[in-house]
Amino acid sequence: MNESSRHRKILQYLSEHTSATVGELVDFLDKSPATIRRDITKLDEGKKLKKVRNGAERIAIELHQNDHALKSLYPKMSDIYNVSENDRIARKAVELCMEKDNVFISEGAATFLMGRYLLSRNIQVYTNYMPLATYLITEDFPHLIILGGQYVKNQNLLVSPDKHKNYQGRYLFCSGDGITEAGLTKSGLLAFMEEKKLVEHVDKIVALIDSDKIGVIGGVLLFSLDELDIVITGKDADPEIITQLKEKNIAVYLV
């Protein structure tokens, strides 16, 4: 197997598994660890994947590197903490949706990463989060409604004084800075206020949250546990808090 074939197979593996260790790729390709490490280094230099300790991660979204105006709106992948986990959370969130669903998506790392998984789905997306909206527009996603308002540049939000009275959806996908036995907390005041407006327009609230934020108080209480319907987080989440969530009849997905 030549180098280009190995590279293609490594990228194929990452498209299905998000991340891979050197050992996993050794078994997959039946090549030596030294060969796999060289391949990872070359693919990382070509920005085809992200080289990590003892392995590689898929680059979650192609960010139109040559378009500086659009690029400025996207979060940098290097700034997203545990991008691999957030990508798995994003993929699971989209998997929950049925074809022709209407869903509201607010700001956050995992909510932005939902974009790539939405592209092949017939799902109506309502959002005021400009990075996600811009990504979907540039990828010709046809099922998008942007919730209008004043653009707040430092938070990449469209903020409106009005409620969105005519819209209704199955899910609100939202992020948070912590979740405890009290509920989901958030530190960004404008995002907090906008998400509160959206609650009456959805059937269920889905929290997408990093595993290291489980058990952490991260600001003002956004939604109590009684208001949350689903939590998607990583497998390393505090099991005690996960048990408390389940006792409140919250569906929990560990990815």
Side-chain angles (χ1 to χ4, degrees):
M1 185 185 301
N2 61 27
E3 182 182 272
S4 61
S5 296
R6 293 197 309 273
H7 288 186
R8 185 170 60 254
K9 286 185 174 294
I10 289 171
L11 294 175
Q12 177 187 352
Y13 187 93
L14 288 176
S15 73
E16 298 171 356
H17 297 85
T18 305
S19 63
T21 65
V22 170
E24 288 169 341
L25 293 174
V26 165
D27 293 340
F28 179 61
L29 296 174
D30 193 24
K31 297 295 178 181
S32 71
T35 298
I36 295 301
R37 289 191 177 95
R38 284 197 300 270
D39 288 338
I40 289 174
T41 298
K42 285 192 176 182
L43 288 167
D44 178 74
E45 291 171 350
K47 301 187 184 302
K48 299 295 185 181
L49 52 71
K50 180 181 178 182
K51 182 179 179 181
V52 297
R53 183 178 180 182
N54 197 37
E57 291 181 349
R58 180 177 68 201
I59 294 178
I61 287 182
E62 177 59 47
L63 295 182
H64 303 273
Q65 297 293 329
N66 295 323
D67 193 325
H68 297 291
L70 295 178
K71 180 183 175 184
S72 66
L73 286 173
Y74 298 151
K76 295 179 180 178
M77 294 299 104
S78 59
D79 291 340
I80 296 178
Y81 177 76
N82 201 344
V83 65
S84 178
E85 180 180 279
N86 272 284
D87 191 58
R88 294 194 301 273
I89 291 170
R91 179 169 55 184
K92 184 61 182 181
V94 176
E95 287 175 357
L96 292 181
C97 301
M98 299 174 63
E99 292 297 291
K100 299 184 179 180
D101 261 348
N102 292 350
V103 301
F104 289 75
I105 304 178
S106 63
E107 62 84 32
T111 53
F112 174 70
L113 295 174
M114 288 175 67
R116 66 173 292 163
Y117 300 108
L118 288 165
L119 296 180
S120 62
R121 301 291 303 276
N122 181 11
I123 297 171
Q124 184 70 59
V125 173
Y126 299 82
T127 188
N128 63 349
Y129 188 41
M130 287 303 296
L132 175 62
T134 304
Y135 174 75
L136 294 176
I137 289 169
T138 59
E139 296 294 332
D140 296 323
F141 181 73
H143 314 294
L144 174 66
I145 292 178
I146 299 175
L147 303 175
Q150 178 182 351
Y151 176 52
V152 181
K153 183 177 181 180
N154 65 345
Q155 294 194 38
N156 285 319
L157 287 175
L158 289 170
V159 178
S160 171
D162 300 317
K163 295 182 179 179
H164 308 287
K165 297 179 181 179
N166 298 323
Y167 301 138
Q168 191 65 32
R170 181 190 297 269
Y171 297 123
L172 166 61
F173 293 102
C174 61
S175 63
D177 296 304
I179 189 168
T180 66
E181 64 277 3
L184 181 70
T185 54
K186 198 175 189 83
S187 58
L189 182 58
L190 287 178
F192 173 96
M193 293 188 296
E194 288 301 302
E195 286 164 4
K196 280 293 191 182
K197 293 177 190 174
L198 298 178
V199 174
E200 65 184 77
H201 304 289
V202 299
D203 299 327
K204 295 183 178 182
I205 300 172
V206 185
L208 312 182
I209 187 162
D210 303 357
S211 58
D212 65 344
K213 295 177 182 176
I214 301 294
V216 173
I217 298 175
V220 181
L221 183 65
L222 177 60
F223 299 120
S224 69
L225 294 189
D226 291 330
E227 294 175 291
L228 291 177
D229 297 284
I230 300 171
V231 170
I232 307 176
T233 188
K235 293 179 180 179
D236 294 330
D238 185 334
E240 183 176 340
I241 301 297
I242 295 301
T243 297
Q244 292 175 359
L245 297 178
K246 292 179 178 179
E247 288 174 350
K248 284 287 188 176
N249 295 317
I250 296 172
V252 179
Y253 295 92
L254 302 176
V255 296

